[in-house]
Amino acid sequence: MTRHTSETPQFYLTAPSPCPYLKGRQERKVFTHLVGPQASALNDILTQGGFRRSQNIAYRPACENCRACVSVRIVVDGFRWTKSFRREMRKAAYLVGHATPPAPSSEQYDLFRRYLDTRHANGGMSDMTVLDYAMMVEDTHVETMVIEYRRRSPDTFITRRGDGPLAAVALTDRLSDGLSMVYSFYDPDIEAPSMGTYMILDHVERAKAMGLPYVYLGYWVDGSKKMAYKARFQPQQHLGAQGWREVDADNGE
């Protein structure tokens, strides 16, 4: 794991680079290291302030002329279970998620590679090696976990875990006020349920069972089609200049 001598966070600004969400725009990020005994507390504060975590780095957009990236969190209490959400959960009844410590495995990496090669072949993570993946999972000083989703088995009622090949994986941080979905991936050959939707719904249920009020989804990007799905999960709050404010959307359901 990466070591850092200072317990006082120092913030840095990246050079401009092409925006991965909005064509023709440049992005910059401000970032700091999450290390040492105060890392979890700092991760809490920064996530609540709109930062995201990647390994032992916390970052947030700091673009000069753009504010399209908006931090989003689902309000667990009163979550609206639409008809489509209930259908997805019924389709996923054969799956069960089991939380484990943040330890990578060859099975996880094989699924990760299939997911990237099928869904994000030209993305920024497409060239990640098995070592890169291992660092993504285990290079952390914060309270985090890996949730592995598999088929239910006759012993699931006792063991609380599934059996057979991995169907999906979520890397998730536990915060003082919620769960933060750091990264997730799934078997691209699964047609039902919609695995991305299912994992978010599963996190809503997990947060409720743990007595946590929020599920953090990262950034919703105004104008980005691949981020539009996040608006479906209501009620939700967006982080703005006045702090977290509830924002509603008409889902047509």
Side-chain angles (χ1 to χ4, degrees), residues 20 43 50 59 70 73 89 97 103 112 162 191 199 203 225 242:
N43 190 40
Y59 68 90
V70 179
R73 66 186 185 187
M89 292 302 281
F112 176 71
E191 295 183 358
M199 282 191 281
H203 276 69
K225 291 183 179 180
Q242 305 303 316

Side-chain angles (χ1 to χ4, degrees), residues 161-177:
R161 66 180 67 188
D163 196 9
L166 272 175
V169 174
L171 179 61
T172 302
D173 290 349
R174 176 167 181 171
L175 310 174
S176 62
D177 68 346

Side-chain angles (χ1 to χ4, degrees), residues 132-195:
D132 295 328
Y133 175 78
M135 292 290 286
M136 181 177 77
V137 173
E138 68 183 1
D139 189 14
T140 176
H141 292 247
V142 307
E143 186 175 355
T144 190
M145 58 187 165
V146 170
I147 304 174
E148 296 187 338
Y149 296 88
R150 303 179 190 269
R151 284 185 173 272
R152 291 181 182 272
S153 73
D155 297 329
T156 293
F157 180 75
I158 300 173
T159 64
R160 304 293 183 182
R161 66 180 67 188
D163 196 9
L166 272 175
V169 174
L171 179 61
T172 302
D173 290 349
R174 176 167 181 171
L175 310 174
S176 62
D177 68 346
L179 297 178
S180 176
M181 299 183 69
V182 177
Y183 192 76
S184 59
F185 54 94
Y186 53 86
D187 184 343
D189 294 329
I190 294 178
E191 295 183 358
S194 170
M195 291 302 296

Side-chain angles (χ1 to χ4, degrees), residues 215-242:
V215 173
Y216 288 82
L217 294 183
Y219 301 116
W220 170 74
V221 183
D222 189 13
S224 172
K225 291 183 179 180
K226 60 184 178 181
M227 289 293 181
Y229 73 92
K230 296 183 180 181
R232 299 177 60 208
F233 301 91
Q234 297 287 333
Q236 64 179 233
Q237 295 178 349
H238 291 185
L239 181 60
Q242 305 303 316

